[in-house]
Amino acid sequence: MFKYAVNTNGLKKYKTGEIVEMIHKLKVDGVEWGLPKYEEAAPRIKEMVAMTVDAGLEIVGFINGPKLWKQDDMRRYADMLSSV
C-alpha cells in the first residue's frame, strides 16, 4: 500500500497550521517539512511536530536550508533535529 506526503517547500506563504489543515483535508498521509533559516528553525520545528501529530499525520522528514557542501551548517541542523 502506498502512502503520500506533501513537501512544504512550495508552501512558504502559508502558516504551519494552514498547511496542516490543507494536508489533512486532502487525506494525505504525511508531511515533509521544509525548514526556515537556522535561527528561526528550533521553535518552528516544535510547532510543526505538535500540529502534525495532533492532526494524525506522519512526519516523513525535514528538509533543511543549507547547501549540502556547507558541512558545518548541515551538522548544526542535524544536531538541532536530533534533539526533537
Side-chain angles (χ1 to χ4, degrees):
M1 177 181 187
F2 289 102
K3 288 189 175 188
Y4 298 93
V6 173
N7 175 303
T8 65
N9 277 337
L11 303 173
K12 293 183 188 240
K13 69 179 185 176
Y14 298 99
K15 295 178 181 173
T16 304
E18 294 171 322
I19 293 171
V20 170
E21 185 178 329
M22 283 189 280
I23 292 170
H24 185 69
K25 283 182 181 178
L26 291 170
K27 306 222 185 282
V28 175
D29 303 299
V31 184
E32 182 180 42
W33 286 108
L35 295 177
K37 295 178 185 176
Y38 182 81
E39 296 75 24
E40 304 164 13
R44 293 283 311 281
I45 290 169
K46 291 177 183 173
E47 176 186 58
M48 291 169 180
V49 169
M51 290 183 154
T52 304
V53 171
D54 288 348
L57 300 169
E58 296 178 35
I59 297 176
V60 175
F62 293 94
I63 301 170
N64 53 25
K67 308 292 187 245
L68 293 175
W69 59 87
K70 294 184 177 181
Q71 293 180 6
D72 290 341
D73 288 348
M74 294 297 291
R75 282 189 191 95
R76 286 178 36 194
Y77 270 95
D79 289 344
M80 179 191 326
L81 287 168
S82 69
S83 67
V84 173

